[in-house]
């Protein structure tokens, strides 16, 4: 019997795929790129990136020198973007010796250099959405218990289990099933193109604090709306933080 494959959807670095979505980027309302034929490129296994033909760029790029080499894409050239009355430094790069010929004259725009990205007419956050990632948020009756050094922090028979391709399942719990008095809000915020914006809590038990041990999507994106307002815990943050599901600790 062959070994069980845990994640068959890891994309090989250097993979290039023809994108099918219209993609646009803006900076302070100024259109930077408008492409109906972007290339979707995996420089790294899990997160894709858009590369654009020069004809789709709506701003001038000024070369600034050689950038770091990429193991998957080869040497890079860096560019600033010239917008109306201002310069956006480090806004783009090109890999003129990439293994895929179509990529050699295409430009990757630095995601954080521009304030608004859109796939079709919907804003997308953090990075492009991979066509191979699926998010399922499923109501469950599993018994989930969260403990820290033996102290029960949460006990729920009504979790929502979030399954996201390539990641371990996460158990989102109603706040009424959580010792919210043990959670201290922090300034930490993270963004996900599939779930939205998460805010975090520290977990304080017996004089010890586990930083950013729990999080919540208060207004998640549509595909994850079932976890809105629920609390998830991050057992990887501390060896004292444990989650059991039906009496067993989940395996990765």
């Amino acid at each position: 019997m062959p070994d069980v494959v845990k994640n068959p959807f890891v994309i090989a670095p250097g993979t290039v795929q023809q994108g099918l979505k219209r993609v646009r980027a803006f900076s302070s309302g100024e259109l930077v790129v408008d492409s109906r034929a972007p290339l979707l490129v995996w420089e790294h296994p899990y997160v894709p990136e858009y590369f654009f033909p020069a004809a789709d760029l709506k701003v001038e790029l000024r070369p600034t020198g050689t950038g770091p080499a990429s193991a998957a894409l080869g040497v890079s050239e860096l560019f600033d973007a010239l917008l109306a009355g201002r310069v956006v430094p480090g806004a783009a790069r090109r890999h003129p010796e990439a293994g895929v010929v179509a990529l050699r004259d295409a430009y990757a725009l630095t995601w954080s250099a521009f304030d608004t990205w859109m796939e079709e007419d919907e804003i997308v956050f953090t990075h492009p959405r991979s066509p191979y990632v699926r998010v399922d948020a499923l109501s469950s009756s599993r018994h989930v218990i969260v403990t820290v050094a033996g102290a029960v922090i949460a006990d729920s028979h009504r979790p929502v289990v979030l399954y996201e391709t390539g990641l371990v399942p996460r158990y989102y719990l109603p706040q009424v099933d959580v010792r919210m008095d043990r959670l201290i809000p922090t300034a930490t915020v993270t963004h996900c193109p599939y779930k939205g914006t998460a805010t975090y809590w520290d977990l304080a038990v017996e004089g010890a604090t586990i930083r950013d041990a729990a999080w919540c999507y208060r207004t998640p994106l549509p595909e994850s709306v079932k976890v809105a307002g629920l609390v998830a815990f991050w057992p990887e943050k501390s060896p004292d933080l444990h989650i059991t599901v039906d009496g067993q600790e989940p395996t990765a």
Side-chain angles (χ1 to χ4, degrees):
M1 179 178 178
D3 292 337
V4 175
V5 177
K6 288 188 176 182
N7 183 11
F9 298 104
V10 176
I11 308 301
T15 297
V16 179
Q17 184 180 75
Q18 181 62 63
L20 301 177
K21 301 172 183 174
R22 181 189 184 189
V23 176
R24 287 172 289 170
F26 297 83
S27 178
S28 299
E30 183 175 352
L31 182 63
V32 175
V33 66
D34 186 350
S35 181
R36 290 165 173 78
L39 296 174
L40 201 55
V41 180
W42 281 262
E43 183 178 2
H44 307 288
Y46 297 102
V47 179
E49 187 173 12
Y50 282 124
F51 278 68
F52 302 100
D56 292 344
L57 299 174
K58 306 304 178 183
V59 296
E60 181 183 351
L61 297 182
R62 180 175 64 194
T64 60
T66 301
S70 164
L73 306 179
V75 298
S76 66
E77 300 171 343
L78 303 181
F79 300 83
D80 293 342
L82 307 182
L83 281 74
R86 58 197 174 94
V87 176
V88 179
R93 76 179 194 280
R94 183 175 62 180
H95 293 270
E97 299 178 11
V100 177
V101 174
L103 195 61
R104 296 176 184 174
D105 292 321
Y107 296 84
L109 299 183
T110 304
W111 193 273
S112 60
F114 306 105
D115 52 51
T116 305
W117 285 84
M118 301 185 76
E119 293 178 345
E120 297 299 338
D121 288 346
E122 294 192 5
I123 294 176
V124 64
F125 303 93
T126 311
H127 60 74
R129 297 183 179 204
S130 169
Y132 303 108
V133 170
R134 177 187 174 107
V135 174
D136 290 309
L138 305 179
S139 300
S140 176
S141 57
R142 296 199 191 199
H143 187 195
V144 178
I145 299 176
V146 181
T147 61
V148 175
V152 175
I153 303 301
D155 188 333
S156 182
H157 288 272
R158 45 186 174 173
V160 172
V161 189
L162 191 139
Y163 298 93
E164 183 175 342
T165 305
L167 301 179
V168 299
R170 296 296 185 184
Y171 298 86
Y172 287 77
L173 311 177
Q175 293 192 23
V176 294
D177 294 340
V178 177
R179 288 286 306 272
M180 298 300 296
D181 59 313
R182 299 291 191 179
L183 300 182
I184 304 169
T186 76
T188 302
V189 175
T190 60
H191 306 278
C192 171
Y194 312 105
K195 300 186 292 292
T197 299
T199 55
Y200 287 75
W201 293 276
D202 290 344
L203 178 54
V205 179
E206 302 299 332
T209 299
I210 304 174
R211 292 286 300 167
D212 293 329
W215 72 90
C216 175
Y217 290 95
R218 300 183 187 279
T219 55
L221 297 175
E223 57 263 53
S224 302
V225 70
K226 289 174 69 175
V227 303
L230 306 184
V231 181
F233 289 87
W234 201 346
E236 296 90 338
K237 282 284 185 176
S238 171
D240 295 325
L241 177 55
H242 296 276
I243 296 178
T244 62
V245 180
D246 294 334
Q248 297 183 330
E249 291 198 28
T251 57

